[in-house]
């Protein structure tokens, strides 16, 4: 039996085990356990209908057969489940107050909660490849989605028991360096001591040099020669390249620190430049790659969209490209890092690239007898301005990420000043940082990741609706409740009494769905399910709090309700931290 916190998985295994003892039920039968409509129950198994159709039997009679076997199974009376056969053949389960209390008692702290989720990915070594800016350029608003989504998924995978490696696969070995080196040599560029300023000046230099190269073929050729010299290991060019990357990383790190993001690895494209020859040799030797007009390519002729669109892995001039280093990275991650699963977080424009990459890896690994890694492309849509177009500055340029975060904190500080002007200045700054940065990242995680979304300051900083400020305030409100009671949430780590009122039971029933929500996120790596759940939990708590007085009642009642508050706080904080938000005890 799975840990009792994951009731849907536990019930699925109970139903499968019971069905296996009945005549004619297949071993691989899926009970299809789902949350039920609250009017009829807590959990519902829908899998009998498909089996009845397959066997051409009455689904309600078949469901009745399974229900009778469940009721007569050992220990059924102690499970605290009320079972009914409903509709055309659904099995509906309602947890009795004692079962709800048992769940709440087990879910006593962060450690027990994590232990109840660990089976979802336990033993799996997963690498999450995210953020991945191109060095020598400032990070812009487009990088927020990859960075925020990737960090949230890394945290949720860790919570579910995976051993997670975070890799920032920098674009640090591209054609931009030929242009930059040419510009530096032509203009006599001096690096500013502040990495953020130096990076801005490097990007301006790149823009000027690129424009000049577009207008003057001789300057384009000069940039190409500079790139060749760099790739051949020229000492002076290599030293400049290292300095540019050092500056870029320092500027990026300041932004990652503000976002609460860290990486275990920062292995950019340059790391794999000495490994690409092996890729060419292996893919050609196992007939996965072929020559095409002097280039080395991989055709996927069985795939309708890629029959005439091969994956280019070596250009006709012998140069490598993104696909080459991506293949080298897969090999390094499986052979040297022991990674079994890789998650790539990029925008939707790269769907074709990753689909071809994954097809190539499957053919290559099958041909060489290697164990196939699980590969996921977590792609996302575009951030739109209120004009419905990709968000930009008023001058039409990409909005820089630093400017976005500065604006978020400034707007949040104004809200804090308005709502609580008596707070000390340093506390206002801390709250403004948590609320401002939290609002930006939550607004990014809230929509289904494959959808575009409109960036609107007023909506994301509102204390009403499904926003970061609303959820952060719900957490602060709970902490304030415990301060008023003169108690700590940690005081309620022991047994929880069964809920007695409808509001108490409704809140408890919402809490038991937390493990299911984490499993739902992991199914297709979509964090918006967790955002929706946390908002619904906060709303359910608000209804409970307004309906049932928490403080001042009889001792047993106050203890029971404070225990419910402690468990609500645990789930809200755990969920928000998993999304990457910093929570606050005061606002």
């Amino acid at each position: 039996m799975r840990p009792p916190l994951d009731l849907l998985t536990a019930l699925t295994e109970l139903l499968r085990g019971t069905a296996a003892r009945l005549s004619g039920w297949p071993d691989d039968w899926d009970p299809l356990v789902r949350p039920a409509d609250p009017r009829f129950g807590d959990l519902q198994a829908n899998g009998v209908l498909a089996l009845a159709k397959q066997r051409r039997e009455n689904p309600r009679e078949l469901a009745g057969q399974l229900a009778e076997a469940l009721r007569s199974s050992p220990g059924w009376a102690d499970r605290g489940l009320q079972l009914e056969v409903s509709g055309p053949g659904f099995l509906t389960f309602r947890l009795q107050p004692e079962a709800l209390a048992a769940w709440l008692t087990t879910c006593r702290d962060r450690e027990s909660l994590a232990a109840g989720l660990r089976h979802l990915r336990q033993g799996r070594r997963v690498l999450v490849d995210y953020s991945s800016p191109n060095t020598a350029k400032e990070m812009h608003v487009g990088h927020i989605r990859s960075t925020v989504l990737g960090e949230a998924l890394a945290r949720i995978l860790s919570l579910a028991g995976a051993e997670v490696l975070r890799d920032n696969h920098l674009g640090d070995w591209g054609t931009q360096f030929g242009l930059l080196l040419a510009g530096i040599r032509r203009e006599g560029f001096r690096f500013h001591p502040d990495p953020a300023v130096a990076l801005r000046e490097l990007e301006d230099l790149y823009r000027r040099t690129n424009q000049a190269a577009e207008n003057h073929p001789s300057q384009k050729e000069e940039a190409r020669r500079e790139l060749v010299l760099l790739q051949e290991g020229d000492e002076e060019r290599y030293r400049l390249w290292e300095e540019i990357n050092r500056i870029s990383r320092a500027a990026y790190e300041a932004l990652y620190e503000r976002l609460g993001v860290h990486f275990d690895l920062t292995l950019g494209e340059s790391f794999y430049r000495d490994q690409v020859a092996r890729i060419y040799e292996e893919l050609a030797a196992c007939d996965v790659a072929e020559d095409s007009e002097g280039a080395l390519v991989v055709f996927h002729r069985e795939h309708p969209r890629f029959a005439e669109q091969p994956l280019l892995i070596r250009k006709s001039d012998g140069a490598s490209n993104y696909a080459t280093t991506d293949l080298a990275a897969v090999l390094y991650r499986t052979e040297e890092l022991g990674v079994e699963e890789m998650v790539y977080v990029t925008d939707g424009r790269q769907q074709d690239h990753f689909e071809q990459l994954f097809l190539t890896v499957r053919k290559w690994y099958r041909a060489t007898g290697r164990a196939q890694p699980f590969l996921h492309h977590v792609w996302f849509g575009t951030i739109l301005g209120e004009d419905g177009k990709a968000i930009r500055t008023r001058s039409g340029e990409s909005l820089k990420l630093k400017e976005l975060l500065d604006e978020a904190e400034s707007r949040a500080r104004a809200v804090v000043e308005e709502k609580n002007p008596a707070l000390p200045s340093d506390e206002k700054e801390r709250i403004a940082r948590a609320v401002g940065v939290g609002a930006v990242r939550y607004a990014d995680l809230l929509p289904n990741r494959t959808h575009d979304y409109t960036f609107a300051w007023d909506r994301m900083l509102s204390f009403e609706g499904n926003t970061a400020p609303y959820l952060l305030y719900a957490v602060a409100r709970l902490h304030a409740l415990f301060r008023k009671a003169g108690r700590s949430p940690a005081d309620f780590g022991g047994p929880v009494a069964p809920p007695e009122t409808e509001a108490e039971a409704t809140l408890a029933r919402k809490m038991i769905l937390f493990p299911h929500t984490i499993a739902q996120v992991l199914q297709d790596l979509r964090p918006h399910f967790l955002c929706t759940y946390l908002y619904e939990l906060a709303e359910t708590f608000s209804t409970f709090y307004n309906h049932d007085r928490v403080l001042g009642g009889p001792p047993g009642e106050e203890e029971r309700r404070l225990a419910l508050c402690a468990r609500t706080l645990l789930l809200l904080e755990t969920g928000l931290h998993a999304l990457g938000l910093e929570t606050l005890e005061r606002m």
Side-chain angles (χ1 to χ4, degrees), residues 333-346:
R333 291 164 177 174
T334 55
E335 284 194 341
E336 302 298 326
L337 302 179
V339 169
E340 304 162 86
E341 187 172 349
M342 296 173 218
V343 177
Y344 297 82
V345 187
T346 77

Side-chain angles (χ1 to χ4, degrees), residues 273-541:
R273 64 185 184 275
D274 297 330
Q275 303 173 41
V276 296
R278 181 182 173 191
I279 306 303
Y280 303 145
E281 292 167 6
E282 280 202 16
L283 290 174
C286 61
D287 293 326
V288 171
E290 60 187 81
D291 182 85
S292 176
E293 299 179 6
L296 192 64
V297 302
V298 179
F299 276 101
H300 298 289
R301 295 183 174 89
E302 73 286 359
H303 196 292
R305 283 193 297 115
F306 304 135
E308 302 299 328
Q309 179 190 329
L311 182 69
L312 175 66
I313 60 172
R314 187 181 65 205
K315 299 176 185 178
S316 57
D317 63 2
S320 61
N321 62 1
Y322 293 131
T324 325
T325 50
D326 279 344
L327 289 166
V330 171
L331 187 60
Y332 178 82
R333 291 164 177 174
T334 55
E335 284 194 341
E336 302 298 326
L337 302 179
V339 169
E340 304 162 86
E341 187 172 349
M342 296 173 218
V343 177
Y344 297 82
V345 187
T346 77
D347 68 63
R349 292 171 298 178
Q350 298 189 46
Q351 288 180 78
D352 279 2
H353 167 76
F354 280 102
E355 190 169 355
Q356 286 184 290
L357 181 76
F358 296 172
L359 287 168
T360 302
V361 170
R362 281 195 284 273
K363 290 180 179 179
W364 173 27
Y365 272 47
R366 185 166 56 244
T368 55
R370 294 186 177 98
Q372 295 275 349
F374 295 92
L375 302 172
H376 312 276
H377 182 210
V378 175
W379 63 273
F380 51 82
T382 303
I383 304 176
L384 304 176
E386 295 191 55
D387 60 358
K389 300 177 182 178
I391 189 169
R392 293 185 177 275
T393 64
R394 289 179 181 176
S395 62
E397 297 178 353
S398 293
L399 181 63
K400 304 304 182 188
L401 182 53
K402 181 181 182 302
E403 295 169 1
L404 180 76
L405 298 181
D406 288 345
E407 179 77 4
E409 291 187 24
S410 174
R411 286 175 177 262
R413 175 65 187 252
V415 174
V416 175
E417 290 279 5
E418 178 186 344
K419 290 185 173 294
N420 207 339
L423 284 175
S425 181
D426 60 339
E427 191 165 358
K428 288 178 183 175
E429 288 298 329
R430 187 173 61 84
I431 293 172
R433 183 177 63 251
V435 172
V437 173
V440 169
R441 71 192 310 158
Y442 190 80
D444 198 89
L445 294 167
L446 178 60
N448 188 330
R449 60 173 170 79
T450 54
H451 296 172
D452 297 341
Y453 78 92
T454 301
F455 192 95
W457 285 114
D458 290 345
R459 184 170 66 243
M460 71 172 60
L461 287 168
S462 173
F463 279 79
E464 297 179 359
N466 192 357
T467 66
Y470 173 80
L471 290 172
L472 293 175
Y473 180 71
V475 168
R477 183 185 181 192
L478 278 159
H479 279 291
L481 175 65
F482 281 101
R483 286 195 299 273
K484 185 176 180 180
R487 307 289 294 276
S488 164
D491 296 339
F492 298 89
V496 178
E500 295 185 10
T501 70
E502 186 58 34
E504 291 174 4
T506 299
L507 179 58
R509 289 189 165 101
K510 175 56 71 172
M511 284 193 267
I512 67 172
L513 296 179
F514 184 83
H516 167 68
T517 302
I518 297 299
Q520 194 177 22
V521 170
L522 293 175
Q523 186 173 2
D524 199 27
L525 301 173
R526 295 180 188 268
H528 74 278
F529 289 118
L530 181 55
C531 297
T532 301
Y533 170 82
L534 294 174
Y535 174 65
E536 291 176 353
L537 175 60
E539 286 278 88
T540 306
F541 170 77

Side-chain angles (χ1 to χ4, degrees), residues 195-247:
V197 176
L199 193 57
R200 190 178 313 123
E201 292 176 349
L202 278 168
E203 188 164 357
D204 289 341
L205 174 64
Y206 171 80
R207 194 177 294 111
R208 292 195 303 273
T209 310
N210 187 47
Q211 184 63 48
E214 289 296 322
N215 296 330
H216 303 284
S218 62
Q219 292 192 23
K220 181 177 287 189
E221 178 59 25
E222 179 188 353
R224 192 194 67 78
R225 286 197 303 270
E226 289 292 330
L227 183 61
V228 169
L229 286 167
L230 170 65
Q231 293 179 343
E232 289 176 348
D234 176 84
E235 186 174 336
E236 181 184 355
R237 273 84 177 173
Y238 192 80
R239 179 183 57 78
L240 285 169
W241 172 81
E242 286 188 312
E243 181 65 9
I244 292 168
N245 284 312
R246 183 196 66 78
I247 288 167

Side-chain angles (χ1 to χ4, degrees), residues 30-48:
D30 187 351
L32 296 176
V33 178
R34 304 286 186 269
D37 184 322
R39 294 174 298 171
F40 307 119
D42 298 319
L43 305 174
Q44 182 172 294
N46 304 335
V48 173

